[in-house]
Amino acid sequence: DAKTTQPNSMESNEEEPVHLPCNHSTISGTDYIHWYRQLPSQGPEYVIHGLTSNVNNRMASLAIAEDRKSSTLILHRATLRDAAVYYCILREPSGGGADGLTFGKGTHLIIQP
Amino acid sequence: DADVTQTPRNRITKTGKRIMLECSQTKGHDRMYWYRQDPGLGLRLIYYSFDVKDINKGEISDGYSVSRQAQAKFSLSLESAIPNQTALYFCATSDLRDGVYNEQFFGPGTRLTVL
């Protein structure tokens, strides 16, 4: 499976934008880029995913580099509730073969009030 | 009500005991998964099921077995629990939309301690 690299931790202030980077230099042409987050004492929660174009939803935006070797999850206005571990995951579209998500250690996002 | 539920939420058991963790979903999804999470680490896939008749091993299936009793139910068993199976266990579901399997929906987790 293609691997992703994320910083271990990041810190930001409440009500400011947060940019969480992810490197995936060995991404294949069909891999989707997924982001999940895990709040303390909870199961992972889907945030957003994309293939080539930038994506927006109610939770966040995903900016994908033109060569697809990196991406950035953008939280436009962080709140204390956004403090979590954020995982960047590559996934084949059909989920075929060894289906399931491959989690790394993710980025621990700390939000300061 | 939660879409993906897990029982029990917490369990303490002894080495050698047989343990079953249960997962139920009301989302109508065909795919279900069991993951394990150790402290400070990401989740690792134990087993996954495409439908009732299809069970597949994941990355770390040794020491575990599963049963897909119905589309909505997927159970994980530890036949003879050992201390290094102490972990947080998550169940998840997903479904096909527009020909692509997209997000997975996770349950709240079961914290298992094996003494």
Side-chain angles (χ1 to χ4, degrees), chain A residues 83-95:
Chain A
V85 178
Y86 287 78
Y87 297 99
C88 170
I89 299 168
L90 303 182
R91 189 172 190 216
E92 296 179 11
S94 65

Side-chain angles (χ1 to χ4, degrees), chain B residues 5-106:
Chain B
T5 57
Q6 294 184 233
T7 56
R9 294 294 312 278
N10 289 282
R11 181 71 184 269
I12 299 174
T13 190
K14 295 182 179 180
T15 298
K17 295 290 187 182
R18 183 178 188 273
I19 296 296
M20 179 180 285
L21 309 183
E22 300 190 0
C23 176
S24 295
Q25 53 121 341
T26 58
K27 300 187 74 68
H29 288 173
D30 58 357
R31 293 195 174 188
M32 298 187 73
Y33 312 79
W34 275 104
Y35 292 88
R36 141 178 197 162
Q37 185 174 32
D38 294 284
L41 300 179
L43 282 69
R44 291 182 291 168
L45 184 64
I46 305 173
Y47 271 96
Y48 60 102
S49 169
F50 289 178
D51 61 38
V52 174
K53 298 179 182 179
D54 189 291
I55 303 291
N56 302 278
K57 292 182 178 180
E59 178 187 353
I60 53 164
S61 59
D62 287 348
Y64 301 95
S65 62
V66 291
S67 173
R68 185 83 183 265
Q69 302 95 321
Q71 187 199 37
K73 296 186 182 296
F74 193 35
S75 300
L76 176 72
S77 294
L78 288 66
E79 297 300 327
S80 180
I82 56 177
N84 75 2
Q85 290 178 313
T86 293
L88 198 51
Y89 290 84
F90 290 101
C91 174
T93 73
S94 70
D95 204 3
L96 197 65
R97 189 171 68 246
D98 299 326
V100 176
Y101 279 93
N102 291 304
E103 66 265 37
Q104 291 190 6
F105 296 86
F106 286 81

Side-chain angles (χ1 to χ4, degrees), chain A residues 11-28:
Chain A
E11 198 167 312
S12 182
N13 295 319
E14 195 176 11
E15 299 187 3
E16 290 185 355
V18 179
H19 292 234
L20 296 165
C22 180
N23 288 318
H24 29 78
S25 58
T26 60
I27 189 171
S28 76

Side-chain angles (χ1 to χ4, degrees), chain A residues 3-113:
Chain A
K3 186 177 177 180
T4 62
T5 304
Q6 299 177 252
N8 289 333
S9 65
M10 290 184 65
E11 198 167 312
S12 182
N13 295 319
E14 195 176 11
E15 299 187 3
E16 290 185 355
V18 179
H19 292 234
L20 296 165
C22 180
N23 288 318
H24 29 78
S25 58
T26 60
I27 189 171
S28 76
T30 57
D31 283 340
Y32 279 75
I33 302 160
H34 288 244
W35 283 81
Y36 283 75
R37 72 179 186 180
Q38 187 173 20
L39 278 65
S41 301
Q42 294 188 26
E45 172 189 33
Y46 167 81
V47 177
I48 200 167
H49 76 280
L51 183 62
T52 55
S53 302
N54 294 345
V55 184
N56 300 296
N57 67 19
R58 63 175 181 82
M59 290 181 69
S61 295
L62 176 60
I64 302 173
E66 195 170 336
D67 64 3
R68 299 204 337 120
K69 292 183 184 296
S70 66
S71 60
T72 302
L73 179 71
I74 303 166
L75 307 179
H76 294 285
R77 193 164 170 267
T79 70
L80 295 177
R81 293 186 67 251
D82 291 319
V85 178
Y86 287 78
Y87 297 99
C88 170
I89 299 168
L90 303 182
R91 189 172 190 216
E92 296 179 11
S94 65
D99 193 17
L101 300 172
T102 300
F103 288 79
K105 293 185 179 181
T107 296
H108 183 199
L109 177 64
I110 299 166
I111 304 296
Q112 297 289 354

